[in-house]
Amino acid sequence: MAEKIIYIQDHEGGRVPFDPLTLQTRLINCFLTAGLRENSYMAEDIALAVEYTLLNSNRPELVFGQGELAAAVIRMLEETGFPEVAALYRRTSGERHVAIDSDPVSVSGLLRKFLACSDEAFFDRISSEVSHAAKILGITEADPHLYLELARHYERKFAIEGVAGDPVARLRGRTSATKEELTAVLPPEALALTKAGILRINEINEIFSRIRFFFMMRPFAKQSQLAAPVTEMEIEPLLFQMSRTLEQARAAIENALELPDPLPVHLSIPDMSQFIIEYFGVEQEKSRRIADELADALCFEFKNGIYKLSVN
């Protein structure tokens, strides 16, 4: 299946393919300039969230203006609590500052876009508390990120109040989760992989809610007692088994979250090149083909496919 290409159109009508890495680099510079070095890692999440949003547009052609791209990035930065980074990004975009009225209807409309609560009563309670807090503080309008930060505070507060100690219940209806919370709901086979250093799961955050797996090939090879040189016929059946385990892990996380739509999956294999050199002993030009075949085997069982595959 042909890969979709997103085009960004400049003011003169010229089009260039959208490059999330270019956007990520620019965002990193904005975070650093704003003195937020510790948060600069979020530039990747924002760039991928923008790419995912554009890819899933209903437009017949995936062509977007520079202003649309800038507006989407600025809105995401402001709504996720980084107004200073948004201001730096805005300086070259010409976009206007975004402010949302504090009346209950406006606040509810904003929060409904980002909280994705499956429990309507739970959402109404959060929205009501945010509006009430704004009224007490004398706020008539504010940046969206303020309302969202208040909403996240009440979401966590009410979720903790509503469950005792069940790790699955703690995740129900949420769009963010820590590594520890996600690990707690994994099936035994996947949990064993995390303890062996083969599988790692990143936290899920509101910037770009996705399930991100890191699969380490070299520890996997050692656990499987592989010895160099190996062949594709020897290792691919093992990777197909691992693919089933990863899909079971994905399904367990999805079932715990109970969101209305499945989350995209991002699979990273950071040591693939080292593994191929160490276990296959092939030249550089042949390693790319082997890496693609092994990655395909590891992705095979995912029910909804892979949104992003990162192989290094």
Side-chain angles (χ1 to χ4, degrees):
M1 185 169 62
E3 183 180 354
K4 292 182 179 179
I5 300 177
I6 303 165
Y7 289 99
I8 304 301
Q9 184 167 300
D10 60 29
H11 301 299
E12 286 74 39
R15 297 180 181 181
V16 295
F18 170 71
D19 182 5
L21 290 178
T22 300
L23 175 58
Q24 180 180 335
T25 300
R26 185 177 172 189
L27 287 169
I28 288 173
N29 290 334
C30 290
F31 273 99
L32 296 178
T33 304
L36 296 172
R37 178 178 295 274
E38 69 278 7
N39 299 114
S40 60
Y41 71 93
M42 295 180 123
E44 180 188 28
D45 288 338
I46 295 169
L48 291 177
V50 171
E51 180 188 43
Y52 186 77
T53 301
L54 299 182
L55 278 173
N56 288 277
S57 167
N58 291 325
R59 294 186 181 182
E61 284 189 293
L62 296 180
V63 181
F64 303 86
Q66 283 182 337
E68 289 181 287
L69 175 62
V73 174
I74 291 167
R75 184 170 61 250
M76 191 169 296
L77 287 166
E78 290 182 327
E79 292 173 351
T80 51
F82 298 104
E84 55 275 76
V85 181
L88 287 167
Y89 193 93
R90 185 188 293 114
R91 286 180 185 174
T92 56
S93 70
E95 293 296 319
R96 296 171 58 190
H97 179 72
V98 177
I100 302 294
D101 291 338
S102 62
D103 64 274
V105 174
S106 298
V107 171
S108 177
L110 170 71
L111 298 182
R112 193 171 293 281
K113 296 178 183 177
F114 297 97
L115 290 189
C117 292
S118 55
D119 186 333
E120 191 67 21
F122 187 66
F123 171 82
D124 289 341
R125 187 182 178 195
I126 293 171
S127 180
S128 176
E129 288 292 337
V130 171
S131 297
H132 181 62
K135 183 178 180 180
I136 290 175
L137 294 170
I139 296 171
T140 56
E141 65 174 22
D143 288 343
H145 80 273
L146 174 63
Y147 302 119
L148 286 166
E149 284 303 311
L150 285 170
R152 290 178 193 126
H153 164 74
Y154 289 118
E155 183 181 20
R156 288 189 294 267
K157 179 175 182 290
F158 298 153
I160 291 171
E161 290 174 356
V163 297
D166 183 359
V168 174
R170 284 186 181 277
L171 291 179
R172 191 169 298 131
R174 286 170 49 188
T175 55
S176 65
T178 66
K179 299 175 187 177
E180 293 75 19
E181 289 173 324
L182 295 174
T183 302
V185 302
L186 292 179
E189 295 84 355
L191 184 60
L193 292 180
T194 65
K195 292 178 178 178
I198 296 170
L199 177 64
R200 190 170 86 247
I201 303 175
N202 259 25
E203 65 179 13
I204 298 176
N205 60 53
E206 289 94 345
I207 293 177
F208 181 26
S209 294
R210 72 193 191 279
I211 299 172
R212 184 167 189 181
F213 294 123
F214 287 83
F215 189 87
M216 308 301 294
M217 292 293 296
R218 295 168 76 198
F220 162 69
K222 290 178 182 177
Q223 186 188 68
S224 302
Q225 299 181 337
L226 295 174
V230 298
T231 65
E232 292 151 84
M233 291 184 64
E234 184 180 0
I235 192 173
E236 284 186 1
L238 299 175
L239 291 177
F240 282 120
Q241 292 176 16
M242 288 297 100
S243 182
R244 284 193 290 273
T245 300
L246 290 178
E247 166 57 18
Q248 290 167 0
R250 181 208 65 78
I253 293 171
E254 290 276 7
N255 291 337
L257 292 170
E258 290 189 3
L259 295 175
D261 298 306
L263 293 178
V265 175
H266 184 173
L267 175 62
S268 294
I269 314 173
D271 65 342
M272 179 70 89
S273 297
Q274 289 179 311
F275 167 78
I276 291 174
I277 291 171
E278 185 174 337
Y279 282 86
F280 280 83
V282 299
E283 298 143 358
Q284 187 67 32
E285 57 268 17
K286 293 182 180 179
S287 65
R288 184 73 262 174
R289 178 189 62 79
I290 295 174
D292 289 343
E293 291 183 2
L294 298 184
D296 285 345
L298 198 54
C299 296
F300 185 78
E301 292 288 343
F302 280 100
K303 177 182 176 182
N304 301 315
I306 294 288
Y307 157 64
K308 192 102 179 160
L309 175 64
S310 301
V311 179
N312 298 112

